[in-house]
Amino acid sequence: MTARPRAVRLGRRSVAALVLVSVIGVAAFGWPLLADPGSGLAHSADAPWLFALLLPLLLAVVMATIADGSEGLSAKSVAMLGVLAAAGAALRPLGGGTAGIEPMFFLVALSGRVLGPGFGFSLGALTMFASALLTGGVGPWMPFQMLSMGWVALGAGLLPGAAALRGRGELVLVAGYGAVASIAYGTVMNLQGWPYLGGMSSGVSFVPGDPLTDNLARFAAYCLATSLGWDVPRAVLTAVLVLTLGPFVLRALRRATRRAAFGAPVGFGAADGGPESGASRPPRVPRQPR
């Protein structure tokens, strides 16, 4: 019987680092909605740079995962992480940001599905980091992009039926998740920049100190008026790519995971027939004279 591929496990340090960076990330995304207008923070033009501190925290998640020993990323999984991050970074410029066409989402979602939530989060963050360096998209928004893409891949790794669900049902599940996650990614990234945009209509602009429900209503109107035309095509493309290319990508990822045998114990022993192997040597036959 063929062994099922095993996802990369999350160790205790990895879970702690992932929870910490996620909590800080949620606060970084949502704090303007709750900031006191008299605090001087609500209109701080350089506030996004403060949250660039998310970058070392995101890298700390990857390092904690690697440092978790047998429960973390082994040399083989680090190599796979690098290959997949490079592939995802190469896919991002193909769409050029045109109408939200970003083919990297389907690869990140499928990788998170096969390799687990911890590996997926690290992959999503590193893929966005590498693609930002590749496309010149480095700025105060980059840590937020890394965090959001990490959440996309982490969610794919937490989808049900990872051990048993296969075939068309799995593709539909991942495609549906990919479509929803693509729209959620755009919405969350809107929240990162929306409070700092000026000169907008009062019906869609952020008003510091207003009730949360009023600001959320204006934020919804802002998303509908600005980014929905990018988010929906991204969601459609992600779902289509998962349904069409998903079987081949899933098969390749599972084959590579099975051969890598993540989490398998490594042991060393003497070669068969060696002096320490315990195997008896065959009797020596004397050479006959000619």
Side-chain angles (χ1 to χ4, degrees), residues 22-280:
S22 294
V23 169
I24 295 176
V26 170
F29 274 111
W31 73 271
L33 297 175
L34 304 175
D36 183 357
S39 65
L41 295 175
H43 281 293
S44 178
D46 58 351
W49 289 103
L50 298 177
F51 295 112
L53 293 175
L54 278 173
L55 180 58
L57 290 176
L58 288 165
L59 297 178
V61 173
V62 181
M63 297 307 298
T65 308
I66 295 174
D68 260 333
S70 62
E71 294 183 329
L73 295 177
S74 64
K76 293 177 288 187
S77 50
V78 168
M80 183 174 289
L81 178 65
V83 170
L84 290 175
L91 284 175
R92 189 182 184 192
L94 295 182
T98 304
I101 303 300
E102 294 184 79
M104 66 183 292
F105 274 76
F106 98 99
L107 178 61
V108 170
L110 291 173
S111 300
R113 169 67 175 175
V114 174
L115 293 160
F119 185 100
F121 184 89
S122 300
L123 173 63
L126 287 179
T127 299
M128 190 58 72
F129 178 75
S131 66
L133 297 179
L134 184 64
T135 60
V138 178
W141 55 84
M142 187 180 70
F144 293 91
Q145 290 178 324
M146 293 172 61
L147 183 61
S148 300
M149 186 60 74
W151 284 338
V152 168
L154 181 145
L158 294 175
L159 290 175
L165 184 61
R166 295 292 184 270
R168 193 69 180 176
E170 182 180 36
L171 290 176
V172 171
L173 175 66
V174 179
Y177 169 79
V180 173
S182 298
I183 295 177
Y185 172 88
T187 303
V188 170
M189 287 306 301
N190 283 341
L191 185 60
Q192 178 267 327
W194 172 63
Y196 312 107
L197 298 177
M200 294 189 299
S201 166
S202 60
V204 297
S205 61
F206 172 66
V207 179
D210 263 20
L212 179 61
T213 54
D214 292 348
N215 270 326
L216 287 179
R218 283 190 285 266
F219 176 65
Y222 169 78
C223 293
L224 291 173
T226 59
S227 69
L228 196 62
W230 275 261
D231 296 339
V232 171
R234 183 194 302 122
V236 172
L237 177 67
T238 301
V240 169
L241 289 178
V242 169
L243 292 174
T244 55
L245 301 180
F248 309 102
V249 177
L250 287 173
R251 191 179 304 118
L253 288 173
R254 285 184 171 127
R255 184 185 301 117
T257 304
R258 189 181 301 112
R259 290 182 177 178
F262 299 136
V266 179
F268 299 94
D272 292 341
E276 299 177 1
S277 65
S280 58

